Structure formats: structure tokens, C-alpha cells
Amino acid sequence: MEEVNLDIRQRVLMSTDITDFQRKVYLELLKVPRGATISYGELAHRIGCGSAQAVGQALKRNPFAPDVPCHRVIAHDGTIGGFDGQRTGEKIEKKRALLDAERC
DNA sequence: TGAATAATGGCCT
DNA sequence: AGGCCATTATTCA
């Protein structure tokens, strides 16, 4: 738990520009500890939904990027899926390398 | 209000 | 292995 993390949490909680769904997604994502990755379906199910697309949309449209560690959210296949609105790119594989470093 | 979109996941061939 | 369908929420027209 770092102060920056708390700042982002407060920001999400105070943000009214987003829906309750997105709020849950970001909160759950912030709750994910370092070194732990979660798939869209897993996170979706955690917030009480069974659709990963909705989570993907929320993260893609995330108004808090890159403040939210959306790079910790990966597909069930283990692929990063996307980041910063891009599904492929050098940035993506760099995030994947960062995740690999955090996973230990 | 309605239709299209999406950074998925699972099933069906 | 490849392709298609199912499910839910967001956003645009």
C-alpha cells in the first residue's frame, strides 16, 4: 500500500464521471497486490459480473490510465491483451516484461 | 432509445 | 488449431 495508490483510490471514489461498474473495476484492480495478475474474467467475476468484455471496455476507456495498473490485467491465455488502448505494440511487450519482473 | 463496439472466454468443428 | 458464438457494459448516432 503506497500513498500514490491511496491517492488513486480516492480519485476513483470521488470521480463521478465514471459509472459504478468502472469504479468497481478500478478499485478491484488497485486491490491487486504487486506480483499478482488477474484475468478480465476473473476480475469481472470478482466485481459481480460474468463478462470480461465489459472490464476490457472499462480499462480501455479508463480515464485514470496509466494511474491504474491496468497492465496487471491479462487475458485468460496469459497475454497482456492490451494497454493504453493498444492491443499490440512495443509498449505492450514492455508491460509484459514488467509484469514478468513483478511476478518473480 | 437503439445499434455498434470490445484490451474476453468458452465452445464447436 | 481455427472459427464462431455467448454475455455484459460503454459509447456513439
Side-chain angles (χ1 to χ4, degrees):
Chain A
M1 278 301 187
E2 298 175 21
E3 295 182 20
V4 181
N5 207 312
L6 295 174
D7 180 66
I8 297 170
R9 188 174 76 179
Q10 288 292 96
R11 189 186 302 179
V12 174
L13 290 170
M14 292 182 72
S15 287
T16 55
D17 299 295
I18 60 175
T19 61
D20 184 67
F21 180 81
Q22 286 179 269
R23 190 176 300 169
K24 290 177 181 175
V25 174
Y26 303 136
L27 263 297
E28 198 64 45
L29 185 57
L30 294 170
K31 285 168 60 181
V32 176
R34 188 234 350 121
T37 51
I38 184 169
S39 60
Y40 295 95
E42 190 80 19
L43 198 143
H45 192 270
R46 260 190 152 177
I47 63 178
C49 294
S51 81
Q53 291 89 336
V55 178
Q57 285 277 50
L59 291 172
K60 174 187 176 290
R61 301 279 190 177
N62 69 359
F64 300 103
D67 293 313
V68 290
C70 41
H71 64 273
R72 286 185 188 156
V73 188
I74 58 176
H76 85 108
D77 197 1
T79 45
I80 292 295
F83 185 75
D84 193 55
Q86 296 186 255
R87 299 186 298 213
T88 81
E90 297 177 48
K91 293 165 63 177
I92 299 298
E93 57 182 285
K94 183 171 186 174
K95 298 312 177 194
R96 190 175 74 173
L98 183 66
L99 275 170
D100 184 68
E102 291 184 356
R103 285 186 83 183
C104 296

